[in-house]
Amino acid sequence: MPADKSDLQVLAALRRGDPAALGIVYDRYGKVVYRLALRMLTNPPEAEDLTQEVFLALWKGVDKYDPDRGTLLVFLLVMTRSRALNRLKQQGSQQNLTHRVGTYLAPTSNNPGMESVTLTELRERMSSALAELPTTQKQVLEMGYYQGKSQSEIARELDLPLGTVKTRSRQALLKLRQSLQDLVD
């Protein structure tokens, strides 16, 4: 496919499954997508990964692009921005969880049980406690803490009422606290 085709012509070829069309789109817009990803994520390997993810998403979901809503470049940049924000939110949630757990379980003079626990032992105890949770509760916790999703997002994704998601999360946290009680007393 010649590179001088318009975006609409290239997209038509992309819809037909022509991999050369994806190459043309990447050649046209890959650097711009990468620059935005890098500016937002400030990490070159993550920006490269996100750039690849955006073009793969275009390949798999080319029908999501509506030319009446804007240019292909705008579509790719909006997708890049959205995915970068999701990654930043996810990273923030993971860091927040690590900080909260570290603060909550940090050894103090009032917490002699923690002073004798090594980090390896703590990891093993946490893994064991998580493994004991019912799958439905573990799923809600993992989506919230590791994927950085809100309870509303989890409810939509799992097609559950918000109250059910909140209940499962609360029950899981109570079970974890009970399983790790000797570490936090």
Side-chain angles (χ1 to χ4, degrees), residues 46-111:
E46 279 194 50
E48 290 169 8
D49 185 47
L50 181 59
T51 301
Q52 181 179 1
E53 182 182 317
V54 166
F55 284 95
L56 182 61
L58 177 65
W59 174 255
K60 290 181 176 179
V62 68
D63 292 329
K64 292 179 183 176
Y65 170 66
D66 179 4
D68 294 333
R69 297 190 65 190
T71 66
L72 179 57
L73 176 58
V74 169
F75 176 76
L76 291 169
L77 292 176
V78 167
M79 192 181 345
T80 303
R81 179 183 179 277
S82 173
R83 289 170 186 255
L85 288 173
N86 287 343
R87 283 179 183 226
L88 291 169
K89 179 180 172 185
Q90 185 176 5
Q91 288 170 359
S93 293
Q94 288 171 352
Q95 290 169 353
N96 188 17
L97 175 63
T98 302
H99 175 73
R100 287 195 340 242
V101 168
T103 301
Y104 185 67
L105 296 177
T108 66
S109 58
N110 297 333
N111 193 351

Side-chain angles (χ1 to χ4, degrees), residues 1-2 4 12 14 19-20 24 44 48 56 69 74 78 81 87 95 99 102 117 147 150-151 164 178:
M1 162 170 270
D4 63 345
L14 197 59
I24 292 171
E48 290 169 8
L56 182 61
R69 297 190 65 190
V74 169
V78 167
R81 179 183 179 277
R87 283 179 183 226
Q95 290 169 353
H99 175 73
V117 176
Q147 297 174 16
S150 69
Q151 290 181 328
T164 301
Q178 185 177 13

Side-chain angles (χ1 to χ4, degrees), residues 1-3 7 10 19-33 51 55 76:
M1 162 170 270
D7 281 353
V10 173
L22 183 62
I24 292 171
V25 174
Y26 184 84
D27 289 344
R28 286 182 187 171
Y29 303 118
K31 287 181 182 176
V32 177
V33 168
T51 301
F55 284 95
L76 291 169

